[in-house]
Amino acid sequence: MENTVDAKNDSIIAFMGGRILTMDSERKYAEAVVIRGDRIAAVGGTDILKSFPDAEIRDLKSRYLLPAFIDSHNHLSSFGCFFPTWANLIGLTEKEAILEAIRRQVRKEPGKGWVVGFGWFDARMGGADLTKKDLDEVSSDRPVLLIQTTFHQSVVNTRALGLLGINQSTPDPRCGIIFRENDGTPTGVLVEYAQAPVFKLVMEADAETLADLIEARAKELLQFGITAIHDPGVTPAAEAAYRKLHAEGRLPVSVLMMPHGETLLDNRLRDRLQKQVTGTGDEKLRVGPVKLFADGATAETVAFSLKIGGQTINSGCYRDDFEEMLFAATEKGFRVCVHSFGNATTDAVLTAFENAALRAPAGFEMRPRLEHVTLISALQIRRLASMGGCACIQPQFLSRAQNTKQVVLEEGKWYAYGDLVKGGVIVASSSDDPGGFMDARNPIKGSVMGSTMSDGEGNVIFPDQVLPFEQWLWMYTAGGAYAGGQEKERGMLKKGMVADLVVLESGLDPKKPPVVAETWAAGKRVYTKG
């Protein structure tokens, strides 16, 4: 991997006088950290300061110093950057409240363009089922799109169906579902890849506009102590916008781009496989693993195999188009990350990774990466660990995990975060922003939920999966770096690493969680709590 150093920024700053948690297994704690320019120059006892007599001393005043956080699953360039321009439906469960939010959006943005709302909960998620008829009442002359909070299901109005060319005779696309009335008429509900055409339309923007949207949303992450993200689903258009921001020095956070198809949920990326491979780039903008979807997040599109009361209950289906791309990417020297919610899906994904290893270039470290893993068995954990694999999880999903707690399984566990770590899998944590059921960008809040295995309201869900609060902070730092192949450049306070730091006030106690006081990126302070 290439390293870049900002030669113009050569100031020397020393941090001391607090608790320094390095996330480095070779030295867990330190008394002092020295940064020179955008690099960590030294870590150790206070005696290291003798070698830096001209250093500017920063007294931590008993606060904590950690590596800055990495959000290992943040949809910044797709849903995330557009989210502020759409109607926010997160938390709305009543049909009339949802429709009124869309009416406000229509008034807010007059004209003939698309009206978009994000964060809709359908009835299976405790919200309301909607169809084109409901949205037609809001607007019949403008196309309307409501995206479910998981991204994996949407509903559009009649005008939108017309623009998309979806009618009674339109077949379901591969790996997608068009919901229909008994006579075959589309209801307006689109599932999985059936959404791809509408996503492409509503998120189409010129490079300058998209870059501006990304920059504005990325700046918000600094207040949470986040200085790096992994973007799981970078389309060619998004990659162009990222490269523009990088070239102009406008990227507020470091980005690991995970190449994807033309739009989110599109596994077709053979053209992208002819270009820069995983690891290409620098510490501000780097190519990460290819992102593929093996399943979705709806009952129809997640494959479960549940053993309950001596019986096996199978439900849902995984996608049939991920394996060929996994093989093709591996052959080209790309690492691969696969979205896998269900345990039956994960079986197929692990087998695909095992078979892909036979096609990998000589000496290539595949480092298989699974995203989400809502239900996983002990055997699957052993298989993933044996491949040197990693997993990226989202503790915010615990906010809706009460129902799964009621399903007592004979094999496998829901949200087996503790078992994954204990089983030898490197685990990273993340937000899935803006997806899910809450604003989950704050790693401190995520660490509180994960370390207590609670739903955010004080209700403990799976106490046997509890891990220490510090372990969760590790998963938002060193764990994230490993999952992104960035362990030699960030995620730890270690000599030679990028000087991305976060200062926390208060102790590391989930009952009285700390808050971000300062965020430092590449040796410069970029956020201070007001």
Coordinates of all heavy atoms in Angstrom, one line a residue, residues 421-478:
V421 N -16.2 -13.1 18.1 CA -14.9 -12.6 18.6 C -14.2 -13.8 19.3 O -13.0 -14.1 19.1 CB -15.1 -11.5 19.6 CG1 -13.8 -11.2 20.3 CG2 -15.6 -10.2 18.9
K422 N -14.9 -14.5 20.1 CA -14.3 -15.6 20.9 C -13.9 -16.8 19.9 O -13.0 -17.6 20.2 CB -15.3 -16.1 21.9 CG -15.5 -15.1 23.0 CD -16.7 -15.5 23.9 CE -17.1 -14.4 24.9 NZ -18.3 -14.7 25.7
G423 N -14.6 -16.8 18.8 CA -14.3 -17.9 17.8 C -13.1 -17.5 16.9 O -12.8 -18.3 16.0
G424 N -12.5 -16.4 17.1 CA -11.3 -16.1 16.3 C -11.6 -15.2 15.0 O -10.7 -15.0 14.2
V425 N -12.8 -14.8 14.8 CA -13.1 -13.9 13.7 C -12.8 -12.5 14.1 O -13.2 -12.0 15.1 CB -14.6 -14.0 13.3 CG1 -15.0 -13.0 12.2 CG2 -14.9 -15.5 12.9
I426 N -12.1 -11.7 13.2 CA -11.9 -10.3 13.4 C -13.1 -9.6 13.1 O -13.7 -9.7 12.0 CB -10.7 -9.8 12.5 CG1 -9.4 -10.6 12.8 CG2 -10.5 -8.3 12.8 CD1 -8.9 -10.5 14.2
V427 N -13.6 -8.8 14.1 CA -14.9 -8.2 13.9 C -14.8 -6.6 13.9 O -14.1 -6.1 14.7 CB -15.9 -8.6 15.1 CG1 -17.2 -7.9 14.9 CG2 -16.1 -10.1 15.1
A428 N -15.4 -6.0 12.9 CA -15.5 -4.6 12.8 C -16.9 -4.1 13.1 O -17.9 -4.9 12.9 CB -15.1 -4.1 11.5
S429 N -17.1 -2.9 13.6 CA -18.4 -2.4 13.9 C -18.7 -1.2 13.1 O -17.8 -0.5 12.7 CB -18.6 -2.1 15.4 OG -20.0 -1.9 15.7
S430 N -20.0 -0.9 12.9 CA -20.4 0.2 11.9 C -21.8 0.6 12.1 O -22.5 0.1 12.9 CB -20.2 -0.3 10.5 OG -21.1 -1.4 10.2
S431 N -22.2 1.6 11.3 CA -23.5 2.2 11.4 C -24.5 1.8 10.4 O -25.7 1.8 10.7 CB -23.3 3.7 11.3 OG -23.0 4.1 9.9
D432 N -24.1 1.4 9.2 CA -25.0 1.2 8.1 C -25.8 2.5 7.7 O -26.9 2.4 7.1 CB -26.0 0.1 8.4 CG -26.7 -0.5 7.1 OD1 -26.1 -0.3 6.0 OD2 -27.7 -1.2 7.2
D433 N -25.3 3.6 8.1 CA -25.9 4.9 7.9 C -26.3 5.1 6.4 O -25.4 4.8 5.5 CB -25.0 6.0 8.3 CG -25.7 7.4 8.2 OD1 -26.6 7.6 9.0 OD2 -25.3 8.2 7.3
P434 N -27.5 5.6 6.1 CA -28.5 6.0 7.0 C -29.6 4.9 7.3 O -30.7 5.2 7.7 CB -29.2 7.2 6.3 CG -29.1 6.8 4.9 CD -27.8 6.1 4.7
G435 N -29.2 3.7 7.0 CA -30.1 2.6 7.1 C -30.4 2.2 8.5 O -29.6 2.6 9.4
G436 N -31.4 1.3 8.7 CA -31.7 0.8 10.0 C -32.8 1.6 10.7 O -33.7 2.1 10.0
F437 N -32.8 1.7 12.0 CA -33.9 2.2 12.7 C -33.6 3.4 13.6 O -34.5 3.8 14.4 CB -34.4 1.1 13.6 CG -34.5 -0.3 12.9 CD1 -33.5 -1.2 13.1 CD2 -35.5 -0.6 12.0 CE1 -33.5 -2.4 12.4 CE2 -35.5 -1.8 11.3 CZ -34.5 -2.7 11.5
M438 N -32.4 4.0 13.4 CA -32.0 5.1 14.2 C -30.8 5.8 13.5 O -30.2 5.2 12.6 CB -31.7 4.7 15.6 CG -30.6 3.5 15.6 SD -30.3 2.8 17.2 CE -29.2 4.0 17.9
D439 N -30.4 6.9 14.0 CA -29.2 7.5 13.5 C -28.1 6.8 14.3 O -27.9 7.0 15.5 CB -29.1 9.0 13.8 CG -27.9 9.7 13.3 OD1 -26.9 9.0 13.0 OD2 -27.9 10.9 13.1
A440 N -27.4 5.9 13.6 CA -26.4 5.0 14.3 C -25.0 5.5 14.1 O -24.0 4.6 14.3 CB -26.6 3.6 13.9
R441 N -24.7 6.7 13.7 CA -23.4 7.1 13.3 C -22.4 7.2 14.5 O -21.2 7.2 14.3 CB -23.4 8.4 12.6 CG -24.0 8.3 11.2 CD -24.1 9.7 10.5 NE -25.1 10.6 11.2 CZ -25.3 11.8 10.9 NH1 -24.5 12.4 10.0 NH2 -26.2 12.5 11.5
N442 N -23.0 7.4 15.7 CA -22.1 7.6 16.9 C -21.5 6.3 17.4 O -22.3 5.5 17.9 CB -23.0 8.3 18.0 CG -22.1 8.7 19.2 OD1 -21.0 8.3 19.3 ND2 -22.7 9.5 20.1
P443 N -20.2 6.1 17.2 CA -19.6 4.8 17.7 C -19.7 4.6 19.2 O -19.7 3.5 19.7 CB -18.1 5.0 17.3 CG -18.2 6.0 16.2 CD -19.2 6.9 16.5
I444 N -19.8 5.7 20.0 CA -20.0 5.6 21.4 C -21.3 4.9 21.7 O -21.4 4.0 22.5 CB -19.9 6.9 22.1 CG1 -18.5 7.6 21.9 CG2 -20.1 6.7 23.6 CD1 -17.3 6.8 22.4
K445 N -22.4 5.4 21.1 CA -23.7 4.8 21.3 C -23.7 3.4 20.8 O -24.3 2.5 21.5 CB -24.7 5.7 20.5 CG -26.2 5.2 20.8 CD -27.2 6.2 20.2 CE -28.6 5.9 20.6 NZ -29.6 6.9 20.1
G446 N -23.1 3.1 19.7 CA -23.0 1.8 19.2 C -22.3 0.8 20.2 O -22.7 -0.3 20.4
S447 N -21.2 1.4 20.8 CA -20.5 0.6 21.7 C -21.3 0.3 23.0 O -21.1 -0.7 23.6 CB -19.1 1.3 22.0 OG -18.3 1.3 20.9
V448 N -22.1 1.3 23.4 CA -22.9 1.1 24.6 C -24.0 0.0 24.3 O -24.1 -0.9 25.1 CB -23.7 2.4 24.9 CG1 -24.8 2.1 26.0 CG2 -22.7 3.4 25.5
M449 N -24.6 0.0 23.1 CA -25.6 -1.0 22.8 C -24.9 -2.4 22.7 O -25.5 -3.4 23.2 CB -26.3 -0.6 21.5 CG -27.2 0.6 21.6 SD -28.0 1.0 20.0 CE -29.2 -0.3 19.8
G450 N -23.8 -2.4 22.0 CA -23.1 -3.7 21.9 C -22.6 -4.3 23.1 O -22.7 -5.5 23.4
S451 N -22.0 -3.4 24.0 CA -21.4 -3.9 25.2 C -22.4 -4.3 26.3 O -22.0 -5.0 27.2 CB -20.4 -2.9 25.8 OG -21.1 -1.7 26.2
T452 N -23.6 -3.9 26.1 CA -24.7 -4.3 27.0 C -25.7 -5.2 26.3 O -26.6 -5.8 26.9 CB -25.5 -3.1 27.5 OG1 -26.0 -2.3 26.4 CG2 -24.6 -2.2 28.4
M453 N -25.5 -5.4 25.0 CA -26.4 -6.2 24.1 C -27.9 -5.8 24.4 O -28.8 -6.6 24.7 CB -26.2 -7.7 24.4 CG -24.9 -8.2 23.8 SD -24.7 -7.9 22.0 CE -25.9 -9.0 21.3
S454 N -28.1 -4.5 24.4 CA -29.4 -3.9 24.7 C -29.9 -3.2 23.5 O -29.2 -2.9 22.5 CB -29.3 -3.0 25.9 OG -28.5 -1.9 25.6
D455 N -31.2 -2.8 23.5 CA -31.9 -2.2 22.4 C -31.9 -0.7 22.4 O -32.6 -0.1 21.6 CB -33.4 -2.7 22.4 CG -34.1 -2.3 23.6 OD1 -33.6 -1.6 24.5 OD2 -35.3 -2.7 23.7
G456 N -31.1 -0.1 23.2 CA -31.0 1.3 23.3 C -32.0 1.9 24.3 O -31.9 3.1 24.6
E457 N -32.9 1.1 24.7 CA -33.9 1.6 25.7 C -33.7 0.9 27.1 O -34.5 0.9 27.9 CB -35.3 1.3 25.2 CG -35.6 1.9 23.9 CD -35.6 3.4 24.0 OE1 -36.0 3.9 25.0 OE2 -35.3 4.1 22.9
G458 N -32.5 0.2 27.3 CA -32.2 -0.4 28.5 C -32.6 -1.8 28.6 O -32.4 -2.5 29.7
N459 N -33.2 -2.4 27.5 CA -33.7 -3.8 27.6 C -32.6 -4.7 27.0 O -32.2 -4.6 25.8 CB -34.9 -3.9 26.7 CG -36.1 -3.0 27.2 OD1 -36.4 -3.1 28.4 ND2 -36.6 -2.2 26.3
V460 N -32.0 -5.6 27.8 CA -31.0 -6.5 27.4 C -31.6 -7.6 26.5 O -32.6 -8.2 26.9 CB -30.3 -7.1 28.6 CG1 -29.2 -8.1 28.1 CG2 -29.6 -6.0 29.4
I461 N -31.0 -7.8 25.4 CA -31.6 -8.8 24.4 C -30.9 -10.2 24.6 O -31.5 -11.2 24.9 CB -31.4 -8.3 23.0 CG1 -31.9 -6.9 22.9 CG2 -32.2 -9.2 22.0 CD1 -33.4 -6.7 23.1
F462 N -29.5 -10.2 24.3 CA -28.8 -11.5 24.4 C -27.6 -11.3 25.3 O -26.5 -11.0 24.9 CB -28.3 -11.9 23.0 CG -29.5 -12.1 22.0 CD1 -29.7 -11.2 21.0 CD2 -30.3 -13.2 22.1 CE1 -30.8 -11.4 20.1 CE2 -31.3 -13.4 21.2 CZ -31.6 -12.5 20.2
P463 N -27.8 -11.5 26.6 CA -26.7 -11.2 27.6 C -25.5 -12.1 27.4 O -24.4 -11.8 27.8 CB -27.4 -11.5 28.9 CG -28.6 -12.3 28.6 CD -29.0 -11.9 27.3
D464 N -25.7 -13.3 26.8 CA -24.5 -14.2 26.6 C -23.6 -13.7 25.5 O -22.5 -14.3 25.4 CB -25.0 -15.6 26.2 CG -25.7 -15.7 24.9 OD1 -26.6 -14.8 24.7 OD2 -25.5 -16.6 24.1
Q465 N -23.9 -12.7 24.8 CA -23.1 -12.2 23.7 C -22.4 -10.9 24.1 O -21.7 -10.2 23.3 CB -23.9 -11.9 22.5 CG -24.5 -13.2 21.9 CD -23.4 -14.3 21.5 OE1 -22.4 -13.9 21.0 NE2 -23.7 -15.5 21.9
V466 N -22.5 -10.5 25.4 CA -21.9 -9.2 25.9 C -20.3 -9.3 25.7 O -19.7 -10.3 26.0 CB -22.3 -9.0 27.3 CG1 -21.4 -7.9 28.0 CG2 -23.7 -8.5 27.4
L467 N -19.8 -8.2 25.3 CA -18.3 -8.0 25.2 C -18.0 -6.7 25.9 O -18.8 -5.8 26.0 CB -17.8 -7.9 23.8 CG -17.9 -9.2 22.9 CD1 -17.7 -8.9 21.4 CD2 -16.9 -10.2 23.4
P468 N -16.8 -6.6 26.5 CA -16.4 -5.3 27.2 C -16.5 -4.1 26.3 O -16.3 -4.2 25.1 CB -15.0 -5.6 27.6 CG -14.8 -7.1 27.6 CD -15.7 -7.6 26.5
F469 N -16.8 -3.0 26.9 CA -16.9 -1.7 26.2 C -15.7 -1.4 25.4 O -15.7 -1.0 24.2 CB -17.2 -0.6 27.2 CG -17.5 0.8 26.6 CD1 -18.7 1.0 26.0 CD2 -16.6 1.8 26.7 CE1 -19.0 2.2 25.4 CE2 -16.9 3.0 26.1 CZ -18.1 3.3 25.5
E470 N -14.5 -1.7 26.0 CA -13.2 -1.4 25.3 C -13.1 -2.3 24.1 O -12.5 -1.9 23.1 CB -12.1 -1.6 26.2 CG -11.9 -0.5 27.3 CD -10.6 -0.6 28.0 OE1 -9.7 -1.3 27.6 OE2 -10.5 0.1 29.1
Q471 N -13.6 -3.5 24.1 CA -13.6 -4.4 22.9 C -14.4 -3.8 21.8 O -14.0 -3.8 20.6 CB -14.1 -5.7 23.3 CG -14.2 -6.7 22.1 CD -12.9 -7.2 21.6 OE1 -11.9 -7.4 22.4 NE2 -12.7 -7.3 20.3
W472 N -15.5 -3.2 22.1 CA -16.3 -2.5 21.1 C -15.6 -1.3 20.5 O -15.6 -1.1 19.3 CB -17.7 -2.1 21.6 CG -18.6 -3.3 21.6 CD1 -18.8 -4.3 22.6 CD2 -19.4 -3.7 20.5 NE1 -19.6 -5.2 22.1 CE2 -20.1 -4.9 20.9 CE3 -19.7 -3.2 19.2 CZ2 -21.0 -5.6 20.1 CZ3 -20.6 -3.9 18.4 CH2 -21.2 -5.1 18.8
L473 N -14.9 -0.6 21.3 CA -14.1 0.5 20.8 C -13.0 0.0 19.9 O -12.7 0.7 18.9 CB -13.5 1.3 22.0 CG -14.5 2.1 22.9 CD1 -13.7 2.8 24.0 CD2 -15.3 3.1 22.1
W474 N -12.4 -1.1 20.2 CA -11.4 -1.8 19.3 C -12.1 -2.1 18.0 O -11.4 -2.0 16.9 CB -10.9 -3.0 20.0 CG -9.8 -3.7 19.3 CD1 -8.4 -3.5 19.5 CD2 -9.9 -4.7 18.3 NE1 -7.7 -4.3 18.6 CE2 -8.5 -5.0 17.9 CE3 -10.9 -5.3 17.6 CZ2 -8.3 -5.9 16.9 CZ3 -10.7 -6.2 16.6 CH2 -9.3 -6.5 16.3
M475 N -13.3 -2.6 18.0 CA -14.0 -3.0 16.8 C -14.3 -1.8 15.9 O -14.4 -1.9 14.7 CB -15.2 -3.8 17.1 CG -14.9 -5.2 17.6 SD -16.1 -6.1 18.5 CE -17.7 -5.5 18.2
Y476 N -14.4 -0.6 16.5 CA -14.6 0.7 15.7 C -13.3 1.3 15.3 O -13.3 2.4 14.7 CB -15.4 1.7 16.6 CG -16.9 1.5 16.5 CD1 -17.6 1.0 17.6 CD2 -17.6 1.9 15.4 CE1 -19.0 0.9 17.6 CE2 -19.0 1.7 15.4 CZ -19.7 1.2 16.5 OH -21.0 1.1 16.4
T477 N -12.2 0.7 15.7 CA -10.8 1.2 15.4 C -10.0 0.2 14.7 O -10.0 0.0 13.5 CB -10.1 1.8 16.6 OG1 -10.1 0.8 17.7 CG2 -10.9 3.0 17.2
A478 N -9.2 -0.6 15.5 CA -8.3 -1.6 14.9 C -9.1 -2.7 14.1 O -8.6 -3.2 13.1 CB -7.5 -2.3 16.0

